[in-house]
Amino acid sequence: MTQLATPPAPARAYTPDPDPSAVTAAGLAARIPVPVQLPCRLDGRRLEHLSASGYRLFVECPEAWRRRYIAGERSPKNAGMVIGSRVDDALTDYYRHQLQHGEQLPAEEVIDHYQQRWSDLLQQDAERDQIIFDEFDETTARQIGAAALSEALEQLVPQLGEPVAMQRRVEFSLAPGVQWTILGYLDLETHQPQIDGSDAEVVVDYKVKGANALSQIKADRDPQASLYLAVRWREGRPATRFTFAQVLRQNAKRKTTSTAQTHTERTAGQHRATLARFALAASQIVAAYQAFGPERPWGFAEPSHWRCSAKYCAAYGSCAGGSGL
Ligand code: SF4
């Protein structure tokens, strides 16, 4: 068995910005220790970041997190993921052009560019991950992606507001002396004029979904929305809301493409709670590493969770929490 790396340095306390209006949340957060370092991967490199997706994975299945981030196991990308990535790339290019040149590209040009780049970007994906065209073959996936992009440009983009930034990298540590950071990339930040003459500041995340639109309950609890709104709050310029800008693409049952937006907000107390949750997850990661090491299972997902299935977990066949016994 691999030996544990150098023992981690003692934890620092997470001390949120003082806000007398939320003493309870601040007091709770202040009691949560923040580890100075995250563990090392099996290849010897120390982990330096925790992202919203990494946090979500750890909370849902510590063992899946260990396999992904400590052991470096990569999951295959399926057709739906490929479509989502390509539409995301095309919308990013669209907003990059607008921010750099002050003009909106015609939809036909954006879709032409999407078509031209499909093969090259797919090749780049295939160099990192196995690609499995499960739900559709490649040609169909490309067509469905083009329809999703067209719908996004026609229905979503006019409603998302004036872009201020796209794919902005945000990174910060939770306490002085802590050697790892919370890292994220915000798809899009916009200004949206309101009926009353005010200006809403919005953080937007694009999603291409084969399933139904995100429910309000899920949006109100989503860790990505929570983190990115907490980031804006930490920066001293809180956003008015977070919007999931969704394209509901074709799937086996749905023959048409449509769009949906789900908006969500957070209070200052919820921002503090989000950062406290990340602090605690980091401490739990270090504790799991110290208790179980880098090669033994860390804790299995709830078996009824959608993730713990042959369809959604690449480890299902080899994990004792799946069917690997
Ligand atoms: S099979 Fe289940 S328990 Fe095992 S890694 Fe996957 S989600 Fe986690």
Side-chain angles (χ1 to χ4, degrees), residues 246-257:
Q246 302 151 84
V247 183
L248 309 179
R249 63 162 171 80
Q250 296 168 50
N251 59 26
K253 293 181 185 158
R254 188 166 57 209
K255 301 301 170 203
T256 57
T257 306

Side-chain angles (χ1 to χ4, degrees), residues 61 63-64 300-301 307-308 313 316 319 321-322:
C61 181
E63 172 57 3
F300 301 134
R307 183 183 288 285
C308 198
C313 183
Y316 194 77
C319 173

Side-chain angles (χ1 to χ4, degrees), residues 226-293:
S226 298
L227 178 63
Y228 291 176
L229 288 174
V231 163
R232 287 286 301 255
W233 171 76
R234 261 192 100 256
E235 292 172 344
R237 50 191 199 103
T240 314
R241 61 178 168 268
F242 186 99
T243 295
F244 291 96
Q246 302 151 84
V247 183
L248 309 179
R249 63 162 171 80
Q250 296 168 50
N251 59 26
K253 293 181 185 158
R254 188 166 57 209
K255 301 301 170 203
T256 57
T257 306
S258 60
T259 60
Q261 293 185 61
T262 311
H263 311 288
T264 187
E265 300 172 13
R266 301 288 185 273
T267 63
Q270 287 173 316
H271 295 320
R272 276 185 282 274
T274 295
L275 300 183
R277 282 175 177 273
F278 272 75
L280 187 56
S283 288
Q284 290 171 324
I285 285 167
V286 171
Y289 189 91
Q290 290 172 332
F292 305 116

Side-chain angles (χ1 to χ4, degrees), residues 71 93-94 103 139 156 233 236 287 318:
D93 287 347
Y94 171 85
E103 62 174 19
T139 305
L156 280 179
W233 171 76
S318 63

Side-chain angles (χ1 to χ4, degrees), residues 90-155:
L91 290 172
T92 295
D93 287 347
Y94 171 85
Y95 280 114
R96 181 181 293 115
H97 184 91
Q98 187 173 345
L99 285 165
Q100 288 178 349
H101 303 284
E103 62 174 19
Q104 296 172 336
L105 285 171
E108 308 75 52
E109 203 172 314
V110 181
I111 293 166
D112 277 354
H113 196 50
Y114 158 92
Q115 296 284 13
Q116 287 162 15
R117 295 184 73 203
W118 174 276
S119 300
D120 284 348
L121 293 174
L122 189 61
Q123 179 62 36
Q124 287 175 23
D125 278 350
E127 285 165 14
R128 281 194 306 271
D129 297 306
Q130 184 189 6
I131 309 286
I132 301 175
F133 282 101
D134 47 357
E135 199 178 349
F136 316 106
D137 59 30
E138 184 189 335
T139 305
T140 309
R142 187 172 177 160
Q143 288 166 350
I144 289 174
L149 178 58
S150 174
E151 194 76 4
L153 292 165
E154 191 176 321
Q155 301 295 334

